[in-house]
Amino acid sequence: MRSKENLLAEQFSIVEAIEVLSSIAALELDSPIAVSQTHEVTVQNTPISYRSVHWLHKKNAAKVVSVVKDTFRVVLNYLKNFYKHEVGHHAHHESAESIQIIMSLVGEAAKKLDKFSEFLSQGTHSSIKESKEFRELLAFYKRKIAPIAHTEPLAQWMQTLPIKAVLDSTKQAAALKTLKMKTREESQEGGDKSAIQHVFIDLDSVKNDSDYELFLIRKGDGSRFFNLRLLRSVKLVSNFDEYFNEEGVIDVYTDLRACQDNQARLTARNIAKRHWHEISDYLKDAPTFSDNDMAMVLYRSIIALLLATQEAVQKSVLRKSAFGYFADFQKFLRGLVTSHDYQKNVTYPQKNDEAVGFKVIHLVQGFIRTLFEADNISKELIVFVDSLIDAGKTEVPQQEIELHLKKPPLSYNLALDYEALLYGAKPYSHTPLAKVLDALQDLDISGYDPLLLQNIPSHLFSLDYPGKNVSVMRLPTPTSQDYINKACVTEEFKGFIRGLSEEKPSRKQLVFNLQERTSWREFARCMCLEELQRKEEFKNHLCVVTVTKDSDFYHQTGPYQELNQADIFIEQLIEHVSGEGTGYAFPEKIHTKLFPKWAYELAGHIHELFFASRNVLTRSSRADFIEIFYLLLELKIIEVVAPNSISMTCKDALDIGMPATCELFFFLKLINDRPLSSEEVDFMKVLLFGLPLILRGRNLFSERFTRMNSLLKVVESTIDDAGIKEFMKSFSDKIGTLYDSKILNATLKL
């Protein structure tokens, strides 16, 4: 029996081989060819892995050939292990079906490389198919594997996808040729639309999970951002995960599904508990309005909600998990709030509280509010994250902490936990592929819609200062998007804002929209959110402020990489943040209050307090400067708007929204010398590390964690250098004078 370590190593090797072969097989003949090679080095007792890329050229042709031959060896070793351990032990050889697909990739890759034989041969013009590695691989496959392999199940899976993605992708090439003249004309006009038509997702972006929403969104002409070859590669890699799970190494989905179940069950119970009396009364009256379609849809949604509250031990009795039943509840709710009858009752509300329409609207509005404000971070998720971190710490080289430190700072502990999680969560590395396939196979999901993808909003903590209690929410973009150039705000979010307006006294929601409004990927979502706050029905109860966290200026890359002069940088900072064309958008009242005078004063105090008024700022210092400026700007906006609830909203409220939310929490704790309790530390780790795992099956993006942790280091070092009392006095005397309230001294409550 193979050991766990050997089996995991084998898994990652064969997956990397598939990626290399898929990349080569997918190349067009007029495209440059490159292969990547993984290296392992040790620096100060810390193992570091990296990849080098070898582009096809005469001077490194031998290296390219060497990497490809190594890939063939990996596949051959895998085939031998498979034949030795698996053949004869299973009634069905599903893995053999996948192996045949790998061999087709081997053939396609070899054929593509032979097209460039004048480079690869270095004068001999030998074919890669004549190499020893290729011939041995092919011979073993034909002799041992081919007799038991067939590809029908994979082909059938592709043909029966419930969306038309495969059909669309096969038509893309012809459609592009037909539109060639039109595309050329559009490109001459300088528009982005023509460029978008040529954008396709690759396997790396699927693995990295950076653009997964593009699997669900269509281009403007109705075609897809992926093709049949990519879909095959995704399914193939996913199949290998399933194969290794069958070996008993680890079921990478069971724990994640259990956490998702707990979150869905907790949310369902919150809704049911808060509205139990209304639900009971409604169910008693249900027989009297059985002929009312709107009322019966609500009845079905209530049944699904109640089933979602059941304990996991009853799974054998129930047909679905809590996650599945809660998804049904949401789909029934979506169908209800988008129906003509519901919209008519919202537009012309009934005054008779005994009328069916009144009861439906009242109960649905209650459901929606609790859906957005529920406490649904389970204790099980905290335990799950801690277990992965503990497992990873056994593999992380322990570094000695400086002797002068009484205890490790917050930034050190977070960095250590994040590094440990990179090891502990390794078995989950290909879960995003399975997430993509699950979404493609869901008949009830059309387009990118976080709410229907079970990315459920929640209340996180409250920010209290004299006269105000502000709920800090987790809110993915409350939009639905079928086409890249069109998006709309979901009816659930509109219902949530309507509910705020009907309360006594009425309430207000502030959304910090952290999506990139200058990017074709997110422009449509930004526009519909910003437009909603200008509508008469919502303008007094919703405020949307768009702040980019993904531009060249924010990252200090491109033309801003050498912007070292502090005075020029500060001038550019104010110019960018105050200008709408650079990715920022503020309602006029807020813009007038902030720019330019207040913003310049804030930047000057940040420069003096945190960066000792240095004339030259490095790129990393400028990035920290921007992060501190953002935080203090957000606090001022909260003071000006005086909302009852806020959210740091991005595409999925994970990689940008969660670090931004945690930064706010950590920053207010640090500047007020309030140590975090163990409960608060665990909760923040769940937000940063646990949510990306259960929702996307991966870690928080490293660049986002690094940016947040770098900010914490700057604040910690500034406090250490000055001493906490002197720091707090300087902070109050300088930055504190820019605020009209005690918001900088706000207390935080989970």
Side-chain angles (χ1 to χ4, degrees):
M1 194 69 182
R2 287 168 288 176
S3 69
K4 173 180 176 180
E5 291 77 10
N6 290 340
L7 201 52
L8 283 175
E10 180 185 329
Q11 175 188 16
F12 293 123
S13 296
I14 189 64
V15 168
E16 289 174 355
I18 291 170
E19 293 168 7
V20 171
L21 295 172
S22 298
S23 299
I24 296 174
L27 286 168
E28 299 296 334
L29 295 185
D30 58 352
S31 301
I33 286 184
V35 294
S36 64
Q37 186 176 24
T38 302
H39 307 270
E40 297 281 348
V41 297
T42 300
V43 179
Q44 295 181 344
N45 298 322
T46 301
I48 298 174
S49 59
Y50 67 95
R51 287 190 177 191
S52 58
V53 176
H54 305 288
W55 292 95
L56 183 61
H57 192 273
K58 288 182 180 180
K59 66 181 181 181
N60 64 353
K63 176 59 71 175
V64 173
V65 173
S66 174
V67 173
V68 173
K69 287 180 179 179
D70 286 343
T71 301
F72 291 161
R73 291 190 193 100
V74 169
V75 176
L76 177 59
N77 288 335
Y78 176 78
L79 262 58
K80 288 180 177 179
N81 282 330
F82 169 80
Y83 185 80
K84 178 180 179 181
H85 295 282
E86 314 306 330
V87 173
H89 297 285
H90 298 294
H92 302 287
H93 300 293
E94 292 85 356
S95 297
E97 300 156 11
S98 295
I99 287 173
Q100 191 177 44
I101 304 302
I102 291 181
M103 290 305 296
S104 72
L105 288 176
V106 169
E108 290 177 38
K111 184 178 179 181
K112 286 287 176 70
L113 288 173
D114 280 347
K115 292 290 183 180
F116 297 87
S117 60
E118 63 270 24
F119 296 110
L120 294 173
S121 62
Q122 295 182 318
T124 64
H125 295 287
S126 61
S127 168
I128 193 72
K129 293 181 180 178
E130 296 174 5
S131 67
K132 175 185 175 183
E133 291 79 8
F134 181 86
R135 286 187 282 107
E136 287 182 351
L137 172 59
L138 187 62
F140 185 85
Y141 171 76
K142 286 182 176 180
R143 188 171 68 253
K144 299 292 187 181
I145 306 296
I148 62 170
H150 58 88
T151 59
E152 290 180 4
L154 186 57
Q156 289 173 358
W157 174 85
M158 289 174 141
Q159 291 169 3
T160 57
L161 280 176
I163 62 172
K164 297 180 180 179
V166 176
L167 181 61
D168 291 337
S169 65
T170 59
K171 295 178 179 178
Q172 285 174 355
L176 285 174
K177 288 180 181 178
T178 304
L179 294 171
K180 187 175 181 180
M181 293 302 296
K182 181 180 178 182
T183 301
R184 190 173 297 165
E185 292 172 2
E186 290 176 348
S187 64
Q188 291 173 351
E189 296 174 2
D192 287 334
K193 292 182 179 179
S194 61
I196 294 173
Q197 302 310 317
H198 298 283
V199 175
F200 290 92
I201 314 170
D202 58 26
L203 187 59
D204 278 341
S205 66
V206 180
K207 278 185 57 190
N208 295 335
D209 204 43
S210 55
D211 296 317
Y212 66 90
E213 76 277 12
L214 295 184
F215 267 95
L216 303 172
I217 299 173
R218 296 177 184 270
K219 298 179 182 180
D221 64 358
S223 61
R224 293 283 179 177
F225 284 95
F226 61 92
N227 54 36
L228 194 62
R229 189 186 300 277
L230 176 65
L231 201 61
R232 180 183 65 178
S233 298
V234 171
K235 178 62 176 173
L236 184 59
V237 174
S238 179
N239 282 352
F240 273 92
D241 267 340
E242 292 173 7
Y243 161 67
F244 279 96
N245 292 342
E246 289 173 2
E247 286 296 308
V249 177
I250 184 170
D251 184 348
V252 297
Y253 303 122
T254 298
D255 291 336
L256 296 184
R257 285 170 179 158
C259 290
Q260 287 178 320
D261 255 12
N262 288 330
Q263 187 186 36
R265 186 179 299 108
L266 194 55
T267 307
R269 287 178 175 177
N270 280 331
I271 296 173
K273 182 178 180 180
R274 183 176 294 187
H275 304 284
W276 181 247
H277 294 298
E278 297 100 309
I279 289 174
S280 298
D281 292 341
Y282 190 86
L283 292 178
K284 290 175 184 177
D285 296 338
T288 64
F289 44 71
S290 59
D291 58 344
N292 185 304
D293 292 340
M294 183 174 67
M296 291 311 296
V297 174
L298 178 57
Y299 176 80
R300 296 187 191 100
S301 71
I302 290 174
I303 298 303
L305 176 72
L306 296 179
L307 288 171
T309 66
Q310 302 304 302
E311 290 289 347
V313 294
Q314 298 180 4
K315 190 187 301 184
S316 58
V317 179
L318 302 175
R319 294 178 59 193
K320 297 181 181 180
S321 63
F323 181 84
Y325 281 119
F326 193 76
D328 288 343
F329 162 73
Q330 286 189 268
K331 290 166 186 174
F332 284 132
L333 193 64
R334 171 61 60 84
L336 179 57
V337 298
T338 56
S339 67
H340 175 73
D341 287 345
Y342 184 88
Q343 291 297 318
K344 186 172 72 173
N345 277 274
V346 167
T347 307
Y348 307 104
Q350 298 186 32
K351 296 181 179 180
N352 179 10
D353 59 7
E354 292 300 319
V356 174
F358 181 92
K359 291 181 177 180
V360 170
I361 298 296
H362 176 72
L363 194 49
V364 168
Q365 288 288 81
F367 284 175
I368 288 173
R369 177 181 169 184
T370 310
L371 176 65
F372 278 84
E373 295 183 332
D375 295 310
N376 55 22
I377 305 299
S378 66
K379 293 181 180 178
E380 290 81 2
L381 182 54
I382 295 174
V383 172
F384 175 60
V385 171
D386 281 341
S387 69
L388 291 180
I389 290 174
D390 289 342
K393 281 182 178 178
T394 62
E395 300 186 46
V396 176
Q398 297 296 311
Q399 299 180 2
E400 291 187 8
I401 305 168
E402 289 85 345
L403 295 177
H404 71 274
L405 294 177
K406 294 181 180 179
K407 62 178 180 179
L410 173 64
S411 60
Y412 177 89
N413 288 330
L414 286 174
L416 186 63
D417 287 342
Y418 183 75
E419 187 178 2
L421 194 64
L422 294 179
Y423 287 91
K426 261 187 179 180
Y428 301 87
S429 61
H430 291 285
T431 306
L433 302 179
K435 292 279 187 181
V436 165
L437 297 179
D438 288 345
L440 285 174
Q441 294 178 91
D442 195 324
L443 278 166
D444 297 313
I445 297 178
S446 173
Y448 179 63
D449 193 323
L451 199 58
L452 291 189
L453 289 170
Q454 293 291 282
N455 195 339
I456 306 168
S458 60
H459 165 78
L460 301 178
F461 56 88
S462 63
L463 189 153
D464 298 344
Y465 60 101
K468 292 298 296 182
N469 177 277
V470 182
S471 169
V472 180
M473 298 169 54
R474 179 182 172 275
L475 178 66
T477 178
T479 56
S480 180
Q481 186 174 16
D482 289 329
Y483 291 86
I484 196 64
N485 57 339
K486 297 177 183 177
C488 63
V489 178
T490 63
E491 290 299 324
E492 290 92 337
F493 186 68
K494 291 179 183 177
F496 173 65
I497 302 301
R498 285 193 196 100
L500 299 181
S501 69
E502 293 169 1
E503 292 190 29
K504 304 297 181 185
S506 62
R507 301 173 68 213
K508 191 169 191 175
Q509 170 77 24
L510 169 61
V511 174
F512 287 105
N513 176 34
L514 305 181
Q515 299 178 93
E516 177 54 73
R517 74 195 306 269
T518 63
S519 165
W520 58 267
R521 287 175 174 83
E522 302 190 316
F523 176 78
R525 298 197 292 269
C526 290
M527 289 302 101
C528 67
L529 262 179
E530 292 172 15
E531 179 61 31
L532 186 68
Q533 69 178 328
R534 292 189 279 270
K535 293 186 176 181
E536 188 66 30
E537 182 182 4
F538 304 105
K539 68 179 185 180
N540 294 323
H541 309 285
L542 173 67
C543 179
V544 178
V545 174
T546 299
V547 179
T548 178
K549 283 205 165 191
D550 212 14
S551 64
D552 282 345
F553 184 82
Y554 174 77
H555 293 296
Q556 288 293 286
T557 54
Y560 310 104
Q561 192 159 353
E562 303 299 329
L563 194 63
N564 298 323
Q565 288 299 117
D567 55 345
I568 299 175
F569 162 71
I570 290 173
E571 186 177 334
Q572 286 282 307
L573 172 63
I574 306 304
E575 183 179 325
H576 273 77
V577 177
S578 62
E580 187 170 332
T582 51
Y584 302 81
F586 301 87
E588 186 176 352
K589 175 186 174 183
I590 297 175
H591 193 281
T592 303
K593 197 93 172 177
L594 300 178
F595 304 105
K597 185 176 183 295
W598 186 91
Y600 269 112
E601 290 182 12
L602 174 63
H605 291 319
I606 292 173
H607 188 208
E608 180 183 357
L609 186 60
F610 291 96
F611 300 95
S613 298
R614 294 195 297 269
N615 293 327
V616 176
L617 296 175
T618 64
R619 179 174 173 269
S620 61
S621 293
R622 298 194 305 274
D624 295 330
F625 194 119
I626 292 171
E627 214 66 31
I628 296 172
F629 184 87
Y630 272 24
L631 270 173
L632 292 167
L633 182 72
E634 289 160 359
L635 286 164
K636 183 62 177 180
I637 293 171
I638 295 171
E639 180 184 78
V640 172
V641 176
N644 302 92
S645 53
I646 68 169
S647 67
M648 303 290 182
T649 294
C650 65
K651 174 179 73 178
D652 47 21
L654 294 177
D655 299 289
I656 298 178
M658 272 303 94
T661 303
C662 293
E663 278 179 1
L664 180 66
F665 191 94
F666 293 143
F667 185 75
L668 288 174
K669 284 283 187 177
L670 288 172
I671 66 172
N672 289 289
D673 193 25
R674 296 171 186 155
L676 276 75
S677 67
S678 59
E679 179 188 9
E680 289 171 335
V681 171
D682 287 342
F683 190 77
M684 291 297 117
K685 285 195 294 187
V686 164
L687 299 187
L688 288 169
F689 308 145
L691 292 177
L693 271 171
I694 67 167
L695 291 172
R696 297 304 311 161
R698 58 165 173 79
N699 292 316
L700 177 73
F701 289 155
S702 60
E703 64 271 19
R704 299 296 177 180
F705 173 79
T706 301
R707 186 70 178 260
M708 180 201 73
N709 216 41
S710 181
L711 161 76
L712 298 184
K713 289 178 182 178
V714 169
V715 177
E716 288 169 342
S717 64
T718 302
I719 293 173
D720 286 342
D721 291 343
I724 185 61
K725 290 184 179 179
E726 183 60 32
F727 170 82
M728 292 177 69
K729 182 179 184 305
S730 298
F731 190 89
S732 177
D733 292 345
K734 295 180 174 67
I735 295 175
T737 59
L738 299 178
Y739 296 81
D740 300 322
S741 68
K742 294 293 185 181
I743 191 170
L744 294 178
N745 305 115
T747 57
L748 304 163
K749 297 179 182 178
L750 298 183

